[in-house]
Amino acid sequence: MKKLKYDMKFVLRGIMVPILILVAAAALVLWIYFFKISEASEKRAYRLLAEAAKTLNVAMVERKQSSFQQLNIIAHGINWDTDIYNDDNVLRKLKTFADESLFANIAITDKRGIMLYQNGSTADCSDRPYFKDAMNGKTSTQFLKSGRMSGDTVFVFAVPVRQGGEIIGAIIGTRNLTDILSVLSFQDEIAQYNFLCNGDGRVISVPSGDDLGVSVGGMLGKCFKVENGEVQTDDNQVCKYNYNGNTYYGIYTHSGLDDIFIFSIVGERYASSLAGLYSKLGVMVTAIIFLFTMIAAAVVIIRLKRRITIVKGNELERRKKLEEYHNFQSRRLLDRTNVLGAFNLNLTKNTVDKDGELLKRLTGRDAQYSVEDLCDIIFERIHPSERERYLGHLSREALMLAAQRGKSSVQNDFLFYNPGGRYIWLRVVADLVKNPITGDYEALVYAIGINNTMRLEQIGKKLIRENFEAMGLIDVESGRVFGIKALGGGDIMNNHGLKSGLVYDSVAQTALANYLSEYDFKFVRENIRFKTVKEKLETAQNWSVTVHSCRMGGDRYYKIKYSYLDGEKESIVVSCEDITDILASKMDIETGLYNSAGFHEKVTEWLKENPGKKYRMYRYNLDGFSNINGTYGYEAGNKVLRDIAKHMRARSTDSSFAAHLNADHFVRFCSEDYPSAEECYKKFLSDFADYEIHYPLTIHIGVYDLCEKDCGSFTMSYKAHLALQSIKGDLGTHIAYYKKGLMQTAKNQQELIADVENAVKDGQFEVWLQPQFNYSGALVGAEALTRWRHPEKGLIMPADFVPLLEKSRQITLVDEFVWDKCCEYIKILDGEGIKLPLSVNASRIDIRDKNVCPHIEDMAERHGISHGLLRLEITESAYLTETEELKSAVTAFKNAGFAVEMDDFGSGYSSLNILLDLDIDILKIDKKLVSKAGIGDEKSDSILRAVANMAKSLKISVIAEGVENKTQADFLNSVGCTDMQGYYYAKPMPFDKFKEFIKNKRVDGLQ
């Protein structure tokens, strides 16, 4: 850089002389200007007044047009097809528009001229000019001294209303005079007065604070006399006026409102003040110019001298920055073994000097990326929980802000998804610099692998947190302990606020004295001293002491264990582990809860200690536990049990304790003040809503709360279990209470189950048929329904025995009986020339039997019937629990020529996957959906319509069951479901009555 040379003569010649010339020229110009000041001030007064008048005219016209536009908008918001005078909606809208608009009042009228105002009143305005103009298709305004509604001075705005090109009425709005005059009430740089007058000069309004003595109703022409000739209100030119011996400049301007003008005036003294102002301003400007010229000359000389020093300093700073930037650039060449990748970013230009191989690995393609593109790529690979923190520290905006604040480096640790297929910990560092040549902010961003260190730290923290009550490191030389976790869950260092550690003996003695009884503390005090510990570790790798605490958290056992951290023997690891559950024989080792024996002993003990106190017993059963084991493995299933136990243990008290009985069965005994079963159920769902396995964890609860006398612990548990069994498999009910008589019911059910086999042999089961019709009344089939005519209990309906037989897996005995009977009935009907298909049920238990299809084929062959006349109904709910077996069974049935029906479709288990996975022939719509058909339930009707349309598009037949009335039948037929079954057509009946019933019926069965 060349050295600058400064010459004093150059300063005088180049700066001072031009300044002096400037001062002289300014003085000459001002001298000439003073001669023209008077003329200029008067012209300026004329011009300002004319411009102000023009501004007022524009403002008034805009206000007028705005009023017309608002009335048009309001008119479009009114339904003119109704009787506007008797429609409450029209009146309500008028009130709303009047409240929300600038109009004081709003009215509408048809072609008769009867005005309807927003308050509901009416008035005949057919004689008003503004109404007549509106009927002629013109918008208009009119000035009224007294409005009909308000009695105030108002301006009326009228707009015709058209519909289909024809004028059907008008909408009228009024605005108060004060509202219109707000346009005139302004003070610009002209001190003017604004009057509102008619075309003949009669005053409508005077300016606020008027001290001229002009009153409303007076004639302006009598007050303000024109110096030269007569001036009309529409001349729109500035003239001189005389009034009370004073001269004024004035102008008439049309207001934009019909026959209304604005008369604006300003006193002659205003022009004179302009001249005086200009004169004073000229003298002031001259003095200021001269003063500032002299000051500027002095400042320039001083600044020029300082400039040399500043330039030298800037040069040194520039060299320093160049050296720093060179060092920054040199980092690219450093070989760091723990650096996994690096990028050079130009934050200002949003460009990346890419590491081609690394970017290709990250994105799978080779391309040019911006800084924001790179941040987005990294963002997608950051763990979701870390992303917000990443954006706050390492986005382009964050880096730019850090660089602008002068930071040279930022760094943070993140979980990053490695293309290799796992998350790893990276320390992302960004070194920041400003390029001294271009001024751009640049960054060198690189990632350092810290996964091993972080994972070890995480694992260590987790193990310590979950498995130890306390842990610390004792320095062998000083005997000070540095706590990782203190008894009670706190950090020793945090609790005491000391960075140099605490004396181990003092900490240990104080902590155990708080946790142990005086007797127990005396017993272990010597064994935990630092001196004793070191002596023991000289002859053994580990030293441990077991202590018993009965103060904090009940009766607990702890093991305090000591061992050297490593072979250097400079630190001793001390830990405290709760081993109560391990030592207790009445605990379930897997879950840490009581086992059955321990639980019932604890209940018995509580009842003895709390005679007469109310209590409850809850039996819990986890839903779908076998599916968890089958899908995720037994280890995952065991973890679920442990986590449930942890959930239950966290809510245990002296009067509430839980046990793990077996598999997925838990039990809790609690006093009456413990949360209700409903609250426990909600808390369970809340705690396991986001559980780590993708399987919904839900439970069913059976409750015993009768507190019966002489009811032992085992009996209570059994009764709670009976309540639980009553809702097992019910997805709608999750809590059941034991009621008196439930044990007798269970006994009766067991008796029924025991009678099934003999009942089949003795012919106690009867197969009834319920006819199926199409909408026209033709018979299209029948469904087989079972009745049990018990010799002692009488006729038993399916709802009372089918669920029992399914649970006891004896349903197959009854199903096989029904299949065989239906084959016999089909043969009999066929012999009479009636080919009518019969539908029979195949239960979940039947589906699990791989030989079910061959077995049914044998029956059909033995009776000599067509396979197509036997339809096999499978309940929709079977799809959820027997998916694979169901697929295999349906395929086998179809291949054998049997028709397959999906029963109870829409009963609560519906899944479109059924239609995707199973090749079924007929959908039977459940009676719950049918019960709401055609009664105005839009949701139910839409579902039925959708099911019918979907089935039609899939070429699947549809039949609705549970049709009870003509309304339902008519609606089902209207949506395309023409086949129906229900009491509206016929009730179930024995076979002999069925044959009699169908004698005169048209049959549209299989031909």
Side-chain angles (χ1 to χ4, degrees), residues 350-413:
N350 195 22
T351 59
V352 180
D353 181 9
K354 64 177 183 177
D355 180 339
E357 187 60 32
L358 179 58
L359 273 174
K360 189 174 181 180
R361 266 201 334 267
L362 287 174
T363 64
R365 58 192 180 92
D366 191 9
Q368 182 65 45
Y369 295 91
S370 67
V371 176
E372 291 173 346
D373 292 336
L374 177 63
C375 290
D376 290 341
I377 293 169
I378 297 175
F379 177 84
E380 290 299 324
R381 293 186 175 273
I382 295 290
H383 192 274
S385 64
E386 303 278 313
R387 288 175 178 172
E388 185 175 351
R389 191 165 58 88
Y390 166 76
L391 291 177
H393 291 83
L394 290 171
S395 64
R396 181 188 173 212
E397 292 78 8
L399 292 176
M400 280 283 288
L401 184 61
Q404 290 167 356
R405 290 178 175 175
K407 290 188 177 181
S408 60
S409 180
V410 293
Q411 69 177 37
N412 247 295
D413 300 339

Side-chain angles (χ1 to χ4, degrees), residues 648-709:
M648 301 185 76
R649 193 164 54 245
R651 288 152 185 81
S652 293
T653 64
D654 290 340
S655 295
S656 170
F657 36 88
H660 176 224
L661 300 180
N662 56 66
D664 56 347
H665 286 271
F666 294 83
V667 63
R668 175 179 293 280
F669 179 87
C670 55
S671 59
E672 63 178 344
D673 55 355
Y674 190 77
S676 66
E678 287 75 14
E679 292 174 301
C680 292
Y681 176 72
K682 291 178 181 178
K683 184 62 178 173
F684 181 92
L685 294 185
S686 173
D687 287 357
F688 289 92
D690 298 316
Y691 194 61
E692 58 194 63
I693 64 171
H694 300 294
Y695 189 92
L697 294 186
T698 59
I699 56 173
H700 280 72
I701 305 176
V703 183
Y704 171 78
D705 61 355
L706 298 184
C707 302
E708 297 166 301
K709 188 178 180 180

Side-chain angles (χ1 to χ4, degrees), residues 63-234:
R63 181 154 294 195
K64 171 184 173 182
Q65 295 302 324
S66 173
S67 299
F68 287 150
Q69 289 175 0
Q70 287 189 51
L71 288 176
N72 276 316
I73 292 171
I74 293 172
H76 283 297
I78 294 175
N79 184 4
W80 292 86
D81 293 331
T82 65
D83 182 358
I84 59 174
Y85 297 100
N86 296 301
D87 190 333
D88 292 339
N89 288 330
V90 171
L91 188 59
R92 189 161 44 252
K93 286 187 176 181
L94 281 179
K95 291 179 181 178
T96 302
F97 291 144
D99 292 339
E100 296 179 352
S101 68
L102 296 175
F103 293 102
N105 290 293
I106 296 176
I108 59 174
T109 178
D110 58 14
K111 296 171 72 174
R112 296 177 297 167
I114 305 301
M115 296 294 173
L116 172 66
Y117 294 92
Q118 78 266 17
N119 65 356
S121 64
T122 59
D124 186 356
C125 296
S126 59
D127 58 336
R128 293 299 176 97
Y130 56 78
F131 172 73
K132 294 177 181 179
D133 287 342
M135 292 299 99
N136 290 326
K138 296 191 299 182
T139 58
S140 62
T141 61
Q142 183 178 349
F143 172 73
L144 297 178
K145 289 185 178 180
S146 175
R148 286 195 171 180
M149 286 191 65
S150 63
D152 297 331
T153 303
V154 296
F155 283 90
V156 179
F157 296 82
V159 175
V161 178
R162 290 181 172 86
Q163 193 172 72
E166 179 186 353
I167 296 175
I168 61 171
I171 182 166
I172 290 85
T174 64
R175 296 182 69 166
N176 292 332
L177 178 61
T178 55
D179 178 27
I180 298 297
L181 292 182
S182 63
V183 174
L184 308 180
S185 302
F186 76 92
Q187 293 294 329
D188 203 348
E189 55 181 300
I190 303 178
Q192 69 183 60
Y193 298 90
N194 297 309
F195 296 87
L196 211 60
C197 63
N198 291 327
D200 57 3
R202 185 174 302 280
V203 178
I204 295 175
S205 72
V206 297
S208 60
D210 176 26
D211 55 357
L212 298 178
V214 180
S215 60
V216 175
M219 301 299 293
L220 287 174
K222 293 181 179 181
C223 299
F224 295 91
K225 305 292 185 179
V226 183
E227 289 186 352
N228 299 316
E230 192 74 23
V231 178
Q232 300 298 324
T233 55
D234 57 354

Side-chain angles (χ1 to χ4, degrees), residues 37 41 145 151 232 397 498 660 875 880 898 914 936 997 1007:
I37 190 66
S41 63
K145 289 185 178 180
Q232 300 298 324
E397 292 78 8
L498 298 176
H660 176 224
T875 58
L880 296 178
F898 296 111
I914 298 174
F997 177 79
Q1007 302 300 320

